[in-house]
Amino acid sequence: MSAQVYGELGSQAGWWLSVNWLEVGRAVRRLQERIYKATWDGNAHRVKELMKLLVRSESAKLLSVFKVTQQNAGRLTPGIDGMVYTTAEARAGLSLEPFRYRTWKFQPALRRYIPKGKGPRPRVAKGPVELRPLSIMTIKDRVMATIISLALEATWEALMEPNVMGYRMGRCTQDAIQVVVKALSRGNPVVLDADIKSFFDNVKHEAILERVPCFRDVIRRALTAGIVENGVLARTTRGIMQGSPLSPVLANIALHGMESELEAIPGVTVVGYADDLVAIAPTRRVTEAQIVPGLVRFLATRGLALKPEKTRIVTKSEGFDFLGFTVGQPRVKLLVRPRRKNVHGFLEHVTFYKKEHDGRMKERYQAIAMMLEGKSAPEVADALHLSRNTTWEWENTYNDAGIDGLKRKSPPGKQSCLSSDEKERLKTDILKNPHEFGYDFLVWDGKGVVHHIEKCFGKHIGVRWAQRLLKRMGFTRQRPELKAAKADPVRQEKFTTDLKKK
């Protein structure tokens, strides 16, 4: 952007806040569609030119900066340089830097470990927790990697095999399960439930670079940038960094061709999601004699191997776990259910956060009680080992709203808000004129009672609570045949007299 534009908007921060991100996304999308069409048509020269055009475009750079610094969950996690961009002015300044893929040099990534899968955290889970290595690139390197991935994704979306579901736009685990269920519904097949051993750590770089039509040099520099763990730099001669914006598309490129090679066997269906895959064959003999050897040969050319403890051959009656679901046909119907481990992990999460929330509320009430005794917020914070900012906030809230404003309030219609004297007064008012309260010979709707309580006592209750209150006070529902009393003045007078006797 020119200096004149900045002058008109007042500052870089003002310009960043005024960007139409929908229009920027549309511009990138249009270029990706052109790349996809050229790839589908087989025009290799035009594909390369359009990929370079996308990587050099201002829209791709702006969208990448927006995703990395403002949209992604890791926007506050710095890399080896310790830099994060949390303000509009800092993000605008980052977008002005030249991201030239030909001369870009990636810095080493920081190695961190996180719990594997979507299960409970280490402080929640019981027993040992398997950890996954995560490589944290710098913010600038992430922006450059995102720009390259925009072009690669558009190209390979036209080349990917149909049952490759991982890391693709518009596809998810449910789509993979749907393909599996469709394949299992034909006859009585045998399932090869396979897992690739340390896929992201062991895949050969040549298996990726020889299949990339463009940007080989910058991708090679990203793959061999190195990892810093405990202050020690280690060069990466193989593997893909988990946590890099490039890793999803590069993982799919490395495994490209596996489905075509295995589905050349008659009656075989292969569904892949990153390093997890399922091969469905008509018989166990076909699985053992053709699918397993073919899969081993395919993975060996990429420096990979199957994980024996997680690879097995089962029937659909035995069932198997795939992508967080348990698929099996124990009796008549084929069932797809959430895996029991995932259900238990979710329940442990809920239990942990409930206990944590209850603990915070207890601390809050303890702090309020100490403030009511005359202690200051710093004294309360030191006594309860809390943050001083937190206690200051509670003290200010207490001064503004009082002690009632700090307590959790029950939802409307749930609290017992009327005292015994108020209930007696309400009963007297109803007996004086029951028709005014909706007591119309058959049932009452409770609305008249609600309005009366709001008018006389200044309290709010729900209609259902009002109906329950009337029932507890002795005003029971009348028999249907008494509906005719409405048209008979004598019966109406007798009914009103009987009502007052209650």
Side-chain angles (χ1 to χ4, degrees), residues 423-435 437-440 442-445 449 466-478 495-496 498-502:
K423 290 179 182 178
E424 288 295 330
R425 179 182 169 187
L426 175 63
K427 186 174 181 179
T428 303
D429 294 340
I430 294 176
L431 291 175
K432 287 180 180 178
N433 192 356
H435 303 290
F437 293 89
Y439 196 83
D440 199 5
L442 180 62
V443 320
W444 53 80
D445 57 5
V449 177
Q467 292 175 349
R468 291 195 295 267
L469 176 63
L470 289 171
K471 186 175 181 180
R472 288 195 297 268
M473 292 169 63
F475 298 101
T476 57
R477 292 176 182 266
Q478 303 302 308
F495 177 79
T496 306
D498 293 341
L499 179 65
K500 290 182 178 180
K501 290 179 181 180
K502 295 183 178 180

Side-chain angles (χ1 to χ4, degrees), residues 300-356:
T301 59
R302 289 154 174 79
L304 301 170
L306 293 175
K307 198 171 185 178
E309 56 269 23
K310 289 190 177 182
T311 301
R312 60 189 187 127
I313 300 175
V314 297
T315 61
K316 64 179 182 180
S317 60
E318 296 173 348
F320 60 95
D321 293 336
F322 185 55
L323 302 180
F325 295 91
T326 299
V327 184
Q329 187 174 350
R331 294 180 184 173
V332 178
K333 188 176 181 180
L334 184 65
L335 301 177
V336 180
R337 296 164 293 184
R339 194 170 59 169
R340 182 170 296 182
K341 180 180 177 182
N342 292 8
V343 175
H344 289 172
F346 174 76
L347 294 177
E348 288 176 350
H349 268 299
V350 173
T351 303
F352 170 75
Y353 285 118
K354 182 179 182 300
K355 291 180 179 178
E356 193 176 54

Side-chain angles (χ1 to χ4, degrees), residues 356-483:
E356 193 176 54
H357 178 267
D358 292 344
R360 288 198 299 266
M361 292 302 298
K362 184 177 180 180
E363 290 178 347
R364 187 176 189 176
Y365 289 134
Q366 287 178 347
I368 294 168
M370 295 176 69
M371 291 175 188
L372 290 174
E373 294 175 358
K375 294 186 178 180
S376 62
E379 293 174 344
V380 173
D382 294 338
L384 298 179
H385 304 286
L386 299 174
S387 169
R388 296 199 174 193
N389 293 334
T390 302
T391 51
W392 276 118
E393 179 184 354
W394 291 348
E395 185 180 48
N396 294 334
T397 306
Y398 166 71
N399 291 335
D400 294 338
I403 189 69
D404 293 333
L406 293 168
K407 293 182 179 179
R408 288 183 291 181
K409 297 180 180 179
S410 303
K414 298 295 183 182
Q415 63 271 31
S416 180
C417 59
L418 296 183
S419 63
S420 57
D421 295 338
E422 291 171 339
K423 290 179 182 178
E424 288 295 330
R425 179 182 169 187
L426 175 63
K427 186 174 181 179
T428 303
D429 294 340
I430 294 176
L431 291 175
K432 287 180 180 178
N433 192 356
H435 303 290
E436 189 178 311
F437 293 89
Y439 196 83
D440 199 5
F441 303 106
L442 180 62
V443 320
W444 53 80
D445 57 5
K447 294 181 181 178
V449 177
V450 171
H451 296 321
H452 185 76
I453 291 176
E454 290 180 357
K455 181 180 177 181
C456 297
F457 308 126
K459 296 181 179 181
H460 304 278
I461 64 171
V463 176
R464 291 187 177 181
W465 188 91
Q467 292 175 349
R468 291 195 295 267
L469 176 63
L470 289 171
K471 186 175 181 180
R472 288 195 297 268
M473 292 169 63
F475 298 101
T476 57
R477 292 176 182 266
Q478 303 302 308
R479 296 189 301 273
E481 58 267 18
L482 292 179
K483 187 176 182 180

Side-chain angles (χ1 to χ4, degrees), residues 9 14 46 73 75 107 157 163 207 239 241 288 292 311 347 383 400 410 426 475 485:
L9 292 173
R46 183 166 178 78
R75 61 188 179 274
Q107 298 186 54
E157 187 61 34
N163 289 345
M241 295 182 185
E288 294 175 348
V292 175
T311 301
L347 294 177
D400 294 338
S410 303
L426 175 63
F475 298 101

Side-chain angles (χ1 to χ4, degrees), residues 6 28 69-70 82 123 126 165 183 185 188 209 232 241 284 310 326 345 349 351 355 362 365 381 383 406 420 422 484:
Y6 287 121
V28 174
T69 63
Q70 191 166 332
R123 55 182 176 178
K126 298 177 181 179
M165 300 296 179
S185 62
N188 190 21
L209 297 174
V232 179
M241 295 182 185
R284 181 179 291 269
K310 289 190 177 182
T326 299
H349 268 299
T351 303
K355 291 180 179 178
K362 184 177 180 180
Y365 289 134
L406 293 168
S420 57
E422 291 171 339

